[in-house]
Structure formats: structure tokens, C-alpha cells
Amino acid sequence: MIFMKRRILVNVTFAVKSGELVTLEGPVRYEKGDALMTGSAGEQWPIRRPTFEATYDPVAPTQMGETGSYVKKPIPVAARQLDQKHAIALEESRGELRGKLGDWIVTGPDGKQWIVADTIFKDTYRVLGDG
């Protein structure tokens, strides 16, 4: 099925040094300058800076690259709900996302995949149709 992220505000800071962030789906390493996101339920995740700038818009008065509020651009994605546990190795040995029964595997237009916990997915994505 095809989904789109709802225009929900997320709070963003930018990493001042490399580190690791524990997400709902497992620990993920990030580099200096990457976006560190905090969602509406307090969940956190890092996004590589180039990917972030291509997929998020700042909300005024925030300017791109500043700490503040951002929303996801309207980019359709494919997603399917997991019927068993599943893991996805992240590129550049950044970590492994682990999903449990009921979580969602989301595939972006570029083919990259990530896992979203079921409760977060249902609150932050909307159905566009069959794909």
C-alpha cells in the first residue's frame, strides 16, 4: 500500500559530534551535522543531513539547518505491516533496525527502508491507496 506522512511537527536539533541514538527500533549511529529528530510521542531518530534536507521543510521562523520545528515533505512511500519479527541493516554500518509483529516496513522512493513502530505509524501516516 502507498502512504504519506502526515504534516506533523517534529523538533530537530543537529548533532555537534558523532554518537548513537537509541530509537524504538534499536540503536542508530549518527555523524556530526546529522538531524536528530523528536516526534510527537517523544520518540527519537537520526537522519543523515542530505536526506533530511531533501525530505523535510522548516516551519517558520526556523530556517533550514537551524534547531527548531520541521515537517516532512509530501513524499509517497510504500509500507507493509510485519507478520513476524524482521531486521534491516542500515547503510554505512550505522546499526540495525528491529521490528516486531505489527510494526511497519516503509520503503522510500529511493528504495531505502526503515521500520516504524505500529502505534507511531498509525498516528503519523495516512493511506493514499493500493500500490
Side-chain angles (χ1 to χ4, degrees):
M1 297 218 32
I2 304 299
F3 295 84
M4 188 172 303
K5 185 99 172 194
R6 298 178 196 277
R7 292 194 52 90
I8 297 171
L9 290 178
V10 292
N11 293 314
V12 179
T13 59
F14 293 91
V16 295
K17 62 180 182 177
S18 298
E20 185 174 84
L21 187 61
V22 178
T23 73
L24 294 175
E25 297 77 26
V28 177
R29 286 180 290 290
Y30 58 85
E31 300 297 326
K32 179 180 178 179
D34 286 351
L36 305 178
M37 319 285 284
T38 302
S40 58
E43 75 281 14
Q44 294 187 305
W45 68 99
I47 297 181
R48 290 280 192 228
R49 184 65 170 263
T51 301
F52 172 78
E53 290 181 356
T55 58
Y56 280 83
D57 286 323
V59 176
T62 303
Q63 297 292 312
M64 180 55 78
E66 294 178 346
T67 293
S69 296
Y70 290 79
V71 293
K72 181 89 174 207
K73 291 181 180 181
I75 302 169
V77 296
R80 67 176 175 85
Q81 197 165 25
L82 292 173
D83 57 7
Q84 62 184 5
K85 291 180 180 181
H86 187 78
I88 295 173
L90 297 173
E91 60 189 9
E92 302 170 14
S93 301
R94 293 179 47 224
E96 180 180 81
L97 299 179
R98 295 179 296 279
K100 59 188 179 307
L101 176 68
D103 288 349
W104 293 79
I105 293 182
V106 181
T107 305
D110 60 1
K112 291 182 183 174
Q113 293 186 318
W114 59 95
I115 295 176
V116 179
D118 183 50
T119 55
I120 302 298
F121 187 87
K122 288 177 179 172
D123 286 343
T124 61
Y125 285 84
R126 65 182 174 89
V127 177
L128 289 181
D130 293 326

